[in-house]
Amino acid sequence: MRKVLISACLLGKKVRYDGGAFAVADQIVERWRSEGRIVSVCPEVEAGMSIPRLPAEIFNGSGESVLNGEVDVIEKGGAKVTNDFLEGASIALDLCHKFDINIAVLAEFSPSCGSTTIYDGSFSGEKVPGMGVTAALLREHGVQVFSQYEIAAANNALIEEIV
């Protein structure tokens, strides 16, 4: 059975930086859950970051530029947490390899999981086009990454993969 990697916060787990969740109520996700398809991950928590933790954003770039060593992930207040984000992304990729996962549904806007949009690094609430570190690493390794707003598209990709 094909598995799907999903951000833990989207499954209702209170792992977000503020100790909250970002649970999605979706029939497809519920079906995946009942079928045993879901592998849950929170890259930041897997890397050992605390709950709650300071908000972090990618300063002046995106996940690809973090992977290339060009920019850092910075906590509000200025501390660099780039290595934690790289470690979390690596753990997520390891899960994809372990469970032969080619499809992920990750939390949009996150500096780890954003797949099309992230915060701009100014901690002002402004968003810019770009990917988080985990989304960028997974895509670099052939995993199709979708946001919580694209669950139907992720399901279609899963069906195509199964057939």
Side-chain angles (χ1 to χ4, degrees), residues 74-141:
I74 308 291
E75 283 183 332
K76 190 170 189 177
K80 290 182 183 178
V81 289
T82 307
N83 288 338
D84 293 316
F85 278 75
L86 290 169
E87 182 180 344
S90 179
I91 291 167
L93 181 61
D94 287 346
L95 285 170
C96 289
H97 289 148
K98 178 180 179 180
F99 293 102
D100 194 26
I101 293 172
N102 296 313
I103 295 170
V105 177
L106 303 179
E108 195 68 281
F109 316 127
S110 159
S112 282
C113 297
S115 59
T116 62
T117 307
I118 56 174
Y119 289 100
D120 71 356
S122 68
F123 297 97
S124 64
E126 291 297 315
K127 297 172 188 156
V128 294
M131 283 186 280
V133 179
T134 297
L137 184 65
L138 295 183
R139 280 203 175 132
E140 190 175 280
H141 288 269

Side-chain angles (χ1 to χ4, degrees), residues 16-155:
R16 288 174 43 91
Y17 76 93
D18 59 2
F22 201 38
V24 295
D26 187 277
Q27 289 179 335
I28 293 170
V29 172
E30 289 309 311
R31 181 170 37 82
W32 289 345
R33 190 186 315 253
S34 70
E35 293 171 346
R37 290 190 186 278
I38 294 175
V39 175
S40 170
V41 68
C42 174
E44 292 103 3
V45 172
E46 295 293 335
M49 297 181 83
S50 65
I51 306 167
R53 56 191 170 274
L54 290 174
E57 296 184 5
I58 299 172
F59 183 72
N60 219 11
S62 66
E64 300 98 329
S65 33
V66 173
L67 293 175
N68 293 333
E70 299 165 353
V71 300
D72 286 301
V73 184
I74 308 291
E75 283 183 332
K76 190 170 189 177
K80 290 182 183 178
V81 289
T82 307
N83 288 338
D84 293 316
F85 278 75
L86 290 169
E87 182 180 344
S90 179
I91 291 167
L93 181 61
D94 287 346
L95 285 170
C96 289
H97 289 148
K98 178 180 179 180
F99 293 102
D100 194 26
I101 293 172
N102 296 313
I103 295 170
V105 177
L106 303 179
E108 195 68 281
F109 316 127
S110 159
S112 282
C113 297
S115 59
T116 62
T117 307
I118 56 174
Y119 289 100
D120 71 356
S122 68
F123 297 97
S124 64
E126 291 297 315
K127 297 172 188 156
V128 294
M131 283 186 280
V133 179
T134 297
L137 184 65
L138 295 183
R139 280 203 175 132
E140 190 175 280
H141 288 269
V143 177
Q144 295 181 70
V145 179
F146 300 88
S147 77
Q148 69 269 31
Y149 307 112
E150 303 170 310
I151 292 170
N155 190 57

